Amino acid sequence: MTKEQKKATRKALRQYAEGPVRAAWAEVIEEVLRYYEAAEPLCADLLRLRYLEGKPEEKVVPALYICRSTYYRKELEVLSTVAVEAARRGLL
C-alpha cells in the first residue's frame, strides 16, 4: 500500500458518513468489521476505536493493551483491507 493510498483510505474512513457515497462506505466498513470480528478481533477494535469513534492513537494503544509497533502493523492491515474492499466496490 503506497503512502497516497493509505492517506486516501484514512481520509475516506474519517469522512465516510458524509456525502453521496455514505451508504456504500457504510457497507464497506460493516463488511470489514464482520470479517475482522471473526478473524482478528484486535483489528476490529482498532478500526472501531480509531476511525469510527475518532480516538487518537495515544488513547487507542493503551485501550487495546498493545505496543506501538503492533498498533502500526495492525493499522496498516486494517487500512489495506478497507482499501481493497473499497476498491472492489469502485470507491477508491
Side-chain angles (χ1 to χ4, degrees), residues 7 11 40 53 70-71 77 82 88 92:
K7 186 176 179 180
K11 181 179 177 184
E40 182 68 49
E53 295 179 18
T70 300
Y71 171 85
E77 183 180 334
V82 169
R88 190 177 72 77
L92 285 179

Side-chain angles (χ1 to χ4, degrees), residues 8-87:
T9 303
R10 280 185 176 138
K11 181 179 177 184
L13 275 170
R14 288 186 183 113
Q15 298 175 346
Y16 87 95
E18 303 169 4
V21 295
R22 177 178 183 226
W25 270 102
E27 289 175 13
V28 168
I29 301 300
E30 289 168 12
E31 181 69 26
V32 171
L33 278 173
R34 272 194 303 275
Y35 167 74
Y36 277 132
E37 285 170 352
E40 182 68 49
L42 176 63
C43 288
D45 292 341
L46 189 148
L47 174 59
R48 206 175 281 107
L49 290 171
R50 180 71 175 111
Y51 293 100
L52 302 182
E53 295 179 18
K55 292 187 179 183
E57 176 185 325
E58 295 76 26
K59 295 198 184 235
V60 174
V61 169
L64 297 177
Y65 301 102
I66 58 175
C67 64
R68 287 199 187 275
S69 61
T70 300
Y71 171 85
Y72 294 129
R73 191 173 68 250
K74 292 301 182 179
E75 181 191 34
L76 181 58
E77 183 180 334
V78 167
L79 292 173
S80 296
T81 303
V82 169
V84 167
E85 185 62 25

